[in-house]
Amino acid sequence: MTITAEKIPAGTWNLDPTHSEVSFSVRHLAISKVKGSFESFDASLVTDEDHTASKVTASIDVASVNTNQKDRDGHLQTGDFFLAEEHPKMTFVSTSIEEKGDDAFLVHGDLTLRGVTKPVTLKSEFGGLVVDGYGQTKLGFSATTKIDRTEFGVTWNAALEAGGFTLGNDVTVTLEIQFTLAA
């Protein structure tokens, strides 16, 4: 039996961080993409019987960025990028949820990065609902969004000799999130 999003019980859900991931990619040198992730983040979900009335909040510690290159990670924390010392968290607060059928949702909300808040939409997919071996009810979602980093004040770049720039403006954010129903 397939469990659909229609069967998600109302309640408060806490992030299961060991089974969740926040990653991103950005065009580099106009020929490839650099990928990274954040190692420290939190999220909560409050579901309602009317799924469109559910609420999502999340925060990411920007200093936890990991691109598998220590010097680059350090540069990303500076004023050229995240300005982590002044703005240690990136946050998301949902404003509305729109059902799109086939367990797909659009989660509209406000993303704050470097003190700048802009609306974004997460294209989300319900992954499933299950009771694990410890008797905990688990819920999974996948989501993606694309943001223009320059709209959040992340404008560092360098021109390339052959034309173009070191970094693209569009950053794709990908979420693989698992929640646990609070007791």
Side-chain angles (χ1 to χ4, degrees), residues 19-163:
H19 298 105
S20 299
E21 181 179 286
V22 176
S23 60
F24 64 90
S25 65
V26 63
R27 179 78 50 201
H28 184 252
L29 299 177
I31 61 170
S32 65
K33 291 183 181 178
V34 169
K35 296 182 178 187
S37 63
F38 293 96
E39 305 296 320
S40 178
F41 52 92
D42 195 17
S44 66
L45 169 66
V46 178
T47 52
D48 192 275
E49 287 186 27
D50 171 6
H51 294 128
T52 61
S54 297
K55 299 287 183 190
V56 178
T57 59
S59 67
I60 296 170
D61 297 322
V62 295
S64 73
V65 66
N66 182 355
T67 63
N68 292 317
Q69 211 281 326
K70 188 177 178 178
D71 289 341
R72 178 173 47 218
D73 295 345
H75 187 202
L76 287 171
Q77 294 178 45
T78 70
D80 286 343
F81 293 95
F82 295 134
L83 193 59
E85 191 171 297
E86 288 181 40
H87 303 284
K89 302 265 187 203
M90 178 182 347
T91 61
F92 176 82
V93 177
S94 67
T95 55
S96 67
I97 298 176
E98 194 181 336
E99 291 188 50
K100 299 306 281 180
D102 295 329
D103 293 335
F105 297 85
L106 295 179
V107 180
H108 305 282
D110 293 324
L111 178 68
T112 302
L113 172 62
R114 287 181 55 121
V116 177
T117 301
K118 297 280 184 185
V120 299
T121 298
L122 297 170
K123 295 177 184 173
S124 305
E125 180 181 340
F126 172 67
L129 178 74
V130 68
V131 176
D132 70 9
Y134 300 101
Q136 297 178 322
T137 303
K138 301 283 188 159
L139 177 67
F141 283 96
S142 298
T144 61
T145 193
K146 190 178 286 188
I147 63 169
D148 180 338
R149 66 187 179 85
T150 63
E151 291 181 355
F152 293 91
V154 182
T155 58
W156 181 90
N157 223 333
L160 300 173
E161 269 186 49

